[in-house]
Amino acid sequence: MDTISAALGWLVSFASQELLLFAAIGMLLIGVDDLLFDGLWIASTGRGASANFCAARDGGGDESWPLQSGGAVGAEGPLAIFLPAWDEHEVLAETLAHMLTAWDGEDFRIYIGCYPNDQRTILSISDKVSVDHRLRLVVADRPGPTTKGHNLNQLWLALGADERASGRRFAAVVLHDAEDIVHPLELALYRRFLPNHAMVQIPVHAVMSRGSLWISGHYMDEFSEAHGKELRLRSTLGLPIPSAGVGCALSRAAVSLLAMERDGLPFRPESLTEDYEIGILIGSYGLSAMFADMRTEAGDPIVSRGEFPSEFAAAVRQKARWITGIALAGWGHLGWPALPAVRQQQPQGRQGRQGHQGKQARQGRLATWLGRWMLWRDRRAPLAAIIMLAGYLGLAFALIHAAGRSVLGWEGANWGMWLAPLLAINGAMLSWRLAMRAYFTTKNHGPMQGLLSIPRAVVANFVAIFSAYHAVKLYFQMIGTGRTIWTKTHHSRRIANRLKGGSH
């Protein structure tokens, strides 16, 4: 029995050491990646595309512009709001009512994509559609659910038909979801910046569901950091910005370009993250994109708000879809595109032109490698999940071995000369990561949520691990069957009246 116990103790110690060593090396590499990104963000914080109150900065310019609802400054013409909907009868009517009220005075039309076999959703909005010309119901050409990309393409075809019938050309396409709570000045912001940018993305703020402090709450932490740092830095560097699929405006010309590249349909129907791909493609074509982090005179952020899953299984399904679309299938769709050089006025003279061309080539190479670095960061989720899983398993085995030493007299573990310093370095970098997340969550949601973001990181890790596993299963299922299904998140809660002031 002593021999068996000793062998078991050695096996547990060996498993713990190997798992922790693998996790420590992986976390070190990812941690260095994050530190480099954070250092670049800190160095560029004074030059971001952001503004306080009503002053709008475009690429660091000095021009100030007061945002006003219903103004005609900037992009002229109606704005098309694309709102795909499958099984949204519980929230869609409320969302439309809020949009119509918030954007009263603006020139827009909401295209609502429904399905012939989703009568509940169609009936929930039929009374509004029948009396308000700003609402346009589009019933898909096949039963649902299809994919969000297919649904959006149906809306694009309806928009083209309306343009031909009326003779009016829309200025832009704005993407939103059926549960979104919009800001009154959102459309005015788009009009201001679309003349100079093919895409404008505003921040997305997650609203925590009642009774879901941990699952729903961790979305607040992740979106606060991603949209407070990741997208802002990419915008500052002039790199492609992934569209969030909500709170995003695409110029009419940009959507037309995508449509021409795809046989008249701009959105990839077989993609699970067609919005993400749109943003990357716009950048790869050399078109400008902007992340617009703006506030009103009262300090109210101009953002799109929405409620995210409040249950563990629903969060895993949603994030598995994101990982599949971005890190797995999206890799195959997009590859590692090269980015064009920054266009500048060409100087006169042969030597001047040669020097200018050489500078453009260097800028293009730098932009390409920076863009590929960002794509790597987008696609590293499955690898990060494996590393985190190894770390948690290694920690569990270490605790089991410690208990065995106390109860069964197992020999002490031989951790080697590298593991302890690696764990110390990773511990310091983990403290930095948690501090950064707490900072961004505090900035958007207050100090209490900022403090809670630290223990919520553990919840986020477990959601990420299970999501990566289900993403791989989903990806191989898609390959095996050749079918892509819109496994959307169910929305049933009504949250508009819980927002402060009731304006958004």
Side-chain angles (χ1 to χ4, degrees), residues 416-495:
M417 61 179 297
W418 296 108
L419 187 56
L422 278 174
L423 292 177
I425 294 172
N426 284 333
M429 289 195 295
L430 176 61
S431 299
W432 170 260
R433 298 288 330 120
L434 294 175
M436 288 289 287
R437 176 156 293 192
Y439 165 76
F440 286 105
T441 303
T442 298
K443 185 178 178 181
N444 288 341
H445 303 286
M448 179 58 69
Q449 295 302 327
L451 288 173
L452 287 172
S453 71
I454 297 175
R456 273 200 299 251
V458 177
V459 177
N461 288 343
F462 278 101
V463 172
I465 291 170
F466 281 90
S467 298
Y469 168 72
H470 285 280
V472 172
K473 287 180 56 180
L474 178 59
Y475 180 58
F476 282 105
Q477 180 183 357
M478 288 169 53
I479 293 176
T481 62
R483 298 175 65 241
T484 304
I485 299 298
W486 183 9
T487 54
K488 61 177 292 297
T489 303
H490 178 69
H491 304 113
S492 61
R493 298 179 185 270
R494 305 183 181 274
I495 57 177

Side-chain angles (χ1 to χ4, degrees), residues 172-175 186 190 194 197-202 246-251 282:
V173 170
V174 179
L175 303 180
E186 178 182 336
Y190 295 146
L194 278 172
H197 301 281
M199 185 182 94
V200 178
Q201 173 72 57
I202 64 173
V246 300
C248 177
L250 306 168
S251 72
I282 283 177

